[in-house]
Every structure is written in C-alpha cells, then in structure tokens.
Amino acid sequence: GDSVTQMEGPVTLSEEAFLTINCTYTATGYPSLFWYVQYPGEGLQLLLKATKADDKGSNKGFEATYRKETTSFHLEKGSVQVSDSAVYFCALSDNTGGFKTIFGAGTRLFVKA
Amino acid sequence: DAGITQSPRHKVTETGTPVTLRCHQTENHRYMYWYRQDPGHGLRLIHYSYGVKDTDKGEVSDGYSVSRSKTEDFLLTLESATSSQTSVYFCAISESTGEGTEAFFGQGTRLTVV
C-alpha cells in the first residue's frame, strides 16, 4: 500500500541555519503531497501542499517540490527561527474514495537561539 | 481554526473498560477520520467516515469501533481498553474538492489505559 518515509529526528539547528527534512513516498496512483506541522500540545496544521509533479508548495518561508522521478517531497527553509521548533509530518492523500491521508513518522526540529 | 471539538481532552481508564471518544464538527464536512499518534509511528488511521452511517476501517482498526449517526458527530469506541491503546487520538475532517484536499485536525485526546 501507499507509504511515506521521512528522515528521523530530532534535528537540532542554530537560528538562521538552512533546513532540509527529507521525505520519500510510495504510491500506486497520483497522490497529493503535504507537509503538516505540529506545535507542542496542538493538533496538526497544514504547512504546504503540492498536487502534481513539479509543483512547488510554499508557505512561511518553507518550500517543497513534488518530484515524481525520485518520489520525493523534501522540505526546505533557508533560515530557521526559534519559533519553527515543532514536529513536521510529510503526508500523502490518495485522491480516491475516502481521501485518506497517510503520514510519515514525523521529524522533530529544535532551533537554538 | 476549523470547528472541530474533541472530548474529553484527557482520560485515564482501567484495562478492560469501554471508552468512547467524541469528535464534533461545525463545518458540515463529509469526511471524518480518527487517527492515533504514537512515537516513531506518526499518525495512523483507525477508522474513517464518508457520510452518515458510512464508515470504513483504517490500518489499525482492531479493538476499535466507530459510529456516525449525524454529520457533525463521529464517535470512537474502544470496546475493551488495553494498555497498547494508550495514545493520543486525533480527529480530522475534510471536504473533498478534488486534488490537494487538506485535512483539519482537532486538538487531540490523550488516553491513558492503566
């Protein structure tokens, strides 16, 4: 079945460092891809998304490009802030009946001042 | 914030007892989902619903049942709670508009089975 694999954490960076969180997926169809973020004590919220190959999703300085040839959707940010400390989840939606979302295991990011 | 309310937010229960978690939405969205979140596993789908009285199993449905008698409410029942069901449970909703439909999440319910 469909699945998502993302790099294990935690990832610890200093403020203003460059961030990459790797994500690859396996899917039989043509999924939509997402990054969700979870701040402490809260539910998940959508960070960005892409619906087809070569689409780039972006929000709050974060970017990810839908790479069908490498089945990847890596999250990047050029300069992280302490407020970016959270858990990041890569996910796909199967775009079929149920529109179920399948999540990766999550990557915890710590940003130090 | 999407209008999703989970109750209770925290619960401690004993092994072998039945437990029901409630998810209530005010968005009139068609699809509702129950996930559990555990370290190292991300979120795993337990059950989902695609309409009133229409439900289906997810990848970790054993030991759980659901009901949806109204559009706005989706109940998750642990028939006989076990320690392996200690987890954080999230309800989510979505309204299919085609590709890229996002899910909106509740605040979560932390369940401890002792």
Side-chain angles (χ1 to χ4, degrees):
Chain A
D2 295 355
S3 65
V4 175
T5 302
Q6 61 183 104
M7 63 187 287
E8 293 187 16
V11 174
T12 302
L13 296 174
S14 298
E15 207 166 23
E16 299 184 3
F18 184 86
L19 169 70
T20 300
I21 301 178
N22 291 335
C23 171
T24 58
Y25 68 90
T26 301
T28 53
Y30 302 94
S32 295
L33 302 177
F34 306 83
W35 279 99
Y36 285 83
V37 59
Q38 184 181 33
Y39 298 102
E42 298 184 9
L44 280 69
Q45 56 187 275
L46 180 69
L47 179 60
L48 54 83
K49 67 181 181 182
T51 60
K52 59 183 185 295
D54 300 325
D55 267 3
K56 177 184 284 188
S58 61
N59 186 26
K60 300 180 181 179
F62 291 89
E63 294 183 339
T65 301
Y66 191 144
R67 300 290 189 197
K68 188 177 179 182
E69 65 275 13
T70 55
T71 62
S72 64
F73 193 56
H74 305 321
L75 182 69
E76 297 182 335
K77 187 175 185 184
S79 177
V80 294
Q81 305 300 312
V82 172
S83 58
D84 294 326
S85 297
V87 181
Y88 293 82
F89 292 91
C90 186
L92 67 82
S93 173
D94 61 7
N95 289 332
T96 60
F99 289 84
K100 301 180 293 294
T101 304
I102 297 168
F103 291 87
T107 302
R108 183 175 295 277
L109 171 66
F110 293 103
V111 181
K112 302 180 298 183
Chain B
D1 289 344
I4 309 169
T5 305
Q6 292 186 229
S7 60
R9 293 292 313 279
H10 302 273
K11 186 170 181 66
V12 180
T13 192
E14 294 186 349
T15 299
T17 60
V19 177
T20 296
L21 308 183
R22 180 178 182 242
C23 178
H24 178 79
Q25 61 148 330
T26 58
E27 306 296 320
N28 201 36
H29 281 5
R30 178 182 176 189
Y31 296 94
M32 299 185 76
Y33 312 85
W34 277 108
Y35 289 89
R36 61 177 289 174
Q37 182 178 21
D38 304 289
H41 292 279
L43 277 77
R44 292 179 292 175
L45 182 65
I46 304 171
H47 282 279
Y48 67 100
S49 170
Y50 46 95
V52 173
K53 298 186 180 176
D54 291 324
T55 65
D56 206 349
K57 296 179 179 180
E59 65 175 301
V60 290
S61 60
D62 287 348
Y64 302 94
S65 62
V66 290
S67 66
R68 192 171 179 197
S69 59
K70 298 184 290 185
T71 298
E72 58 265 36
D73 290 327
F74 192 34
L75 304 180
L76 176 71
T77 298
L78 287 64
E79 294 140 8
S80 177
T82 67
S83 58
S84 65
Q85 294 176 312
T86 293
S87 187
V88 180
Y89 292 85
F90 286 98
C91 174
I93 64 174
S94 72
E95 184 59 41
S96 162
T97 57
E99 294 179 341
T101 299
E102 68 178 277
F104 298 92
F105 285 82
Q107 297 281 70
T109 296
R110 183 174 295 277
L111 177 68
T112 303
V113 183
V114 298

